Amino acid sequence: MIADRGLAGLKTRDLAREIGCANGAVYNLVADVDELILRVGSRTLHRLDQALSAVESGEPSPQATLVRIALAYCDFAAENLELWRALFEHRMDPDKPLPDWSIDDQLQLFRHVYQPLAALFPQRSREELGITARSLFSAVHGMVALGLEQKLVAVPLPALRKEIAGLVRAMIDGLIARAA
Amino acid sequence: MIADRGLAGLKTRDLAREIGCANGAVYNLVADVDELILRVGSRTLHRLDQALSAVESGEPSPQATLVRIALAYCDFAAENLELWRALFEHRMDPDKPLPDWSIDDQLQLFRHVYQPLAALFPQRSREELGITARSLFSAVHGMVALGLEQKLVAVPLPALRKEIAGLVRAMIDGLIARAA
DNA sequence: AATATTGATTGAACGATGTTCAAGTTTGTT
DNA sequence: AACAAACTTGAACATCGTTCAATCAATATT
């Protein structure tokens, strides 16, 4: 339901009707809609993880791998738009903290960026690499997020991919030049 | 109310009580909560615009200006966290389109990135520059958005500023190197 | 086999929330 | 003073997530 109606289109009554039970029965499977959304998010993150892993195989240069990962992220977001958006649009009540399994899911993502980065900058510490990996990931995420937004001018997907590839290469080149 | 309770904490009844009128009277000032949020967003965007303009004065190099703009964006987001989040968290019904004045507000933002970029790459066309400006802006936005997120590990603001400055410089260096 | 216990299922009900609207009140004009 | 226009009110409506007493089914126990 999230996939084709968006997070806002998820209603417990519709959901109950679709799976064939009374609306109250939803709460035997799940404590909250919050938990429901988190569990859907967990599946989405795992599929995203697989999509990113699929492009890491046998690549010559770490640079090329990073570009391919960024493009794979973009493609996944475009092909799973609503599910991907649900990962970031959803906000918990400030007092209810995220369960640990959900936090773990999210941290796994940076791993994909971390490894090629570690190959590029072997002299850097684990912390430095972790921070840079997060920054790089965030930058690409921002480009995808605003690029796929309908709010402003919609960017055609091929143009967005080209921009992402260009800017990722520029970022890596710049990082290498600064390290030298 | 958005500023200190967040978008989700904005309730028409609370609002009516706070401004001293009946809950129905809110709809004489505004057609929707959507419009209300958009109007608050407009104010936020104008203040953001001013904050970015304030760092553009008499700067030597376009590079330094771009870094300062990125940091100013980060600082504004940190100091106006909930209002800034409201700009991006809010989603309209898919059938109700954004009013023109709201779209204009948002497009103005890219102007700040466009001008220093045009100084750096005078040979590029207006379209190319516009696209690159949007990409650069989006990348910084992504770093700020995920950096200020409490969901994952909270990043201390000084560390985030350092990361943004570093990656912006790297991106610009990379763009220049590729242009050569 | 008969009964008791446990657990799932139901759907009505509650509270919160955005929105509407008939009725009442104020304000402005002639 | 009399009328019209506009504003204000607060009750009512629809739609949510969520709860829960009652019912039902299944399983365990005697």
Side-chain angles (χ1 to χ4, degrees):
Chain A
M1 291 188 60
I2 293 175
D4 59 53
R5 283 191 271 279
L7 244 196
L10 173 65
K11 307 291 152 79
T12 58
R13 283 173 177 79
D14 294 348
L15 180 65
R17 182 153 19 87
E18 189 148 330
I19 66 183
C21 69
N23 56 40
V26 172
Y27 295 86
N28 293 340
L29 311 170
V30 133
D32 267 330
V33 279
D34 277 339
E35 187 192 333
L36 176 59
I37 292 171
L38 255 38
R39 300 220 106 103
V40 173
S42 183
R43 293 191 190 182
T44 306
L45 281 169
H46 279 102
R47 292 199 303 119
L48 173 55
D49 203 76
Q50 288 171 10
L52 298 190
S53 297
V55 301
E56 286 168 356
S57 56
E59 215 15 70
S61 71
Q63 286 101 322
T65 305
L66 285 169
V67 171
R68 287 173 66 157
I69 290 173
L71 291 177
Y73 184 77
C74 176
D75 291 342
F76 182 91
E79 287 163 19
N80 303 272
L81 190 54
E82 293 298 341
L83 287 171
W84 173 76
R85 278 185 179 159
L87 294 175
F88 302 96
E89 284 183 7
H90 178 57
R91 303 223 155 268
M92 300 277 279
D93 290 342
D95 51 350
K96 251 202 306 186
L98 271 190
D100 287 343
W101 55 264
S102 180
I103 294 179
D104 289 343
D105 282 343
Q106 301 186 39
L107 291 178
Q108 289 301 320
L109 270 191
F110 298 138
R111 204 192 63 225
H112 297 277
V113 186
Y114 180 95
Q115 285 174 346
L117 222 51
L120 275 176
F121 306 102
Q123 78 286 1
R124 294 208 186 179
S125 74
R126 231 176 327 224
E127 283 96 7
E128 287 178 302
L129 286 172
I131 292 177
T132 307
R134 205 180 43 73
S135 297
L136 242 176
F137 178 90
S138 302
V140 172
H141 169 78
M143 282 191 275
V144 175
L146 296 195
L148 295 182
E149 192 104 21
Q150 307 280 355
K151 228 185 234 181
L152 299 176
V153 186
V155 186
L157 188 59
L160 181 59
R161 296 179 95 253
K162 205 169 136 192
E163 274 299 299
I164 289 172
L167 210 51
V168 168
R169 276 192 270 260
M171 284 190 277
I172 297 169
D173 288 354
L175 287 174
I176 291 174
R178 295 200 155 258
Chain B
M1 292 186 60
I2 294 176
D4 59 53
R5 283 191 271 278
L7 243 196
L10 172 65
K11 307 291 152 76
T12 58
R13 282 174 177 77
D14 295 348
L15 180 64
R17 181 152 19 87
E18 189 150 328
I19 67 182
C21 69
N23 56 42
V26 171
Y27 295 86
N28 293 339
L29 311 170
V30 134
D32 267 328
V33 279
D34 278 339
E35 187 192 333
L36 177 59
I37 293 171
L38 255 37
R39 299 222 107 104
V40 173
S42 184
R43 293 192 190 180
T44 306
L45 282 170
H46 278 102
R47 292 198 305 119
L48 173 55
D49 203 75
Q50 287 171 10
L52 298 189
S53 298
V55 300
E56 287 169 354
S57 54
E59 215 13 72
S61 71
Q63 285 101 323
T65 304
L66 285 169
V67 171
R68 287 173 66 157
I69 289 174
L71 291 177
Y73 184 77
C74 176
D75 291 341
F76 183 90
E79 289 163 17
N80 304 271
L81 189 54
E82 293 298 343
L83 287 171
W84 172 76
R85 279 184 179 160
L87 293 176
F88 301 96
E89 283 183 6
H90 178 57
R91 301 223 157 268
M92 299 277 278
D93 291 342
D95 50 352
K96 250 201 307 184
L98 273 189
D100 288 343
W101 55 265
S102 180
I103 294 179
D104 288 344
D105 283 342
Q106 301 187 39
L107 291 178
Q108 289 301 319
L109 270 190
F110 298 138
R111 202 193 63 225
H112 297 277
V113 186
Y114 180 96
Q115 285 173 348
L117 223 51
L120 276 177
F121 305 102
Q123 76 287 1
R124 294 205 186 180
S125 73
R126 232 177 327 224
E127 282 96 8
E128 285 177 304
L129 286 171
I131 291 176
T132 308
R134 204 180 44 73
S135 296
L136 243 177
F137 178 90
S138 301
V140 172
H141 170 78
M143 281 190 276
V144 175
L146 295 194
L148 295 182
E149 192 105 21
Q150 307 281 354
K151 226 185 234 181
L152 299 175
V153 186
V155 186
L157 188 59
L160 180 59
R161 295 179 95 253
K162 204 169 135 194
E163 273 299 300
I164 288 171
L167 210 52
V168 168
R169 275 191 271 261
M171 284 190 277
I172 298 169
D173 289 355
L175 287 176
I176 291 174
R178 295 200 155 257

